[in-house]
Amino acid sequence: MFFFKKKASVKTQEDRELIEHNYKSVETLIVLAEGNEPMREQLKELQEKLKYFIAAETKEVQACDKKIKDLIGDMRIALTKGDGETTKKAENLLTQIKLTIADRNTKM
């Protein structure tokens, strides 16, 4: 049985697809945050940051991109519920996403 490492180009392509998925997922969050203008503005700023991400082959950066994907999924759930408590949770998740982006930027 042979085991092969993924080539750098394959890893970069996978990361590029993950970045694109995150960018498109934020569009859904913007729609779900309707009526909460401060949250919508922050999500638009977040989407703009994701738009210019550069795909990388390093595991640390890819781990950050996966964490961002997971946090976006959690935020989608929080915004879907829509009561006051989950709005606070969504704000906390948005802060975590911003911190993860800052962490990712230090690893580039």
Side-chain angles (χ1 to χ4, degrees):
M1 189 179 271
F2 296 100
F3 296 98
F4 296 100
K5 287 187 174 181
K6 289 183 180 178
K7 291 184 179 180
S9 61
V10 174
K11 289 181 183 179
T12 305
Q13 177 63 29
E14 289 173 356
D15 195 43
R16 191 175 301 121
E17 290 169 358
L18 186 58
I19 291 168
E20 183 179 345
H21 178 270
N22 289 343
Y23 175 80
K24 290 178 180 178
S25 295
V26 173
E27 188 67 37
T28 305
L29 296 179
I30 292 170
V31 172
L32 289 173
E34 189 172 337
N36 187 346
E37 285 308 312
M39 174 74 70
R40 287 179 64 128
E41 289 303 316
Q42 289 182 12
L43 288 170
K44 287 178 184 177
E45 290 173 12
L46 173 67
Q47 190 177 35
E48 192 66 22
K49 287 180 185 178
L50 292 173
K51 182 177 183 179
Y52 296 106
F53 268 13
I54 298 170
E57 62 183 72
T58 60
K59 290 181 182 181
E60 295 86 11
V61 172
Q62 290 177 353
C64 288
D65 290 337
K66 288 177 184 173
K67 184 176 179 182
I68 291 168
K69 178 185 176 196
D70 294 341
L71 290 169
I72 288 172
D74 293 346
M75 192 168 176
R76 179 182 292 171
I77 292 168
L79 287 173
T80 302
K81 290 182 181 177
D83 60 1
E85 205 172 292
T86 56
T87 302
K88 268 239 191 265
K89 184 176 180 181
E91 290 172 359
N92 290 338
L93 288 167
L94 184 59
T95 302
Q96 288 179 13
I97 292 170
K98 289 179 180 180
L99 290 172
T100 306
I101 288 172
D103 187 37
R104 181 192 192 275
N105 290 338
T106 62
K107 295 177 181 179
M108 286 296 292

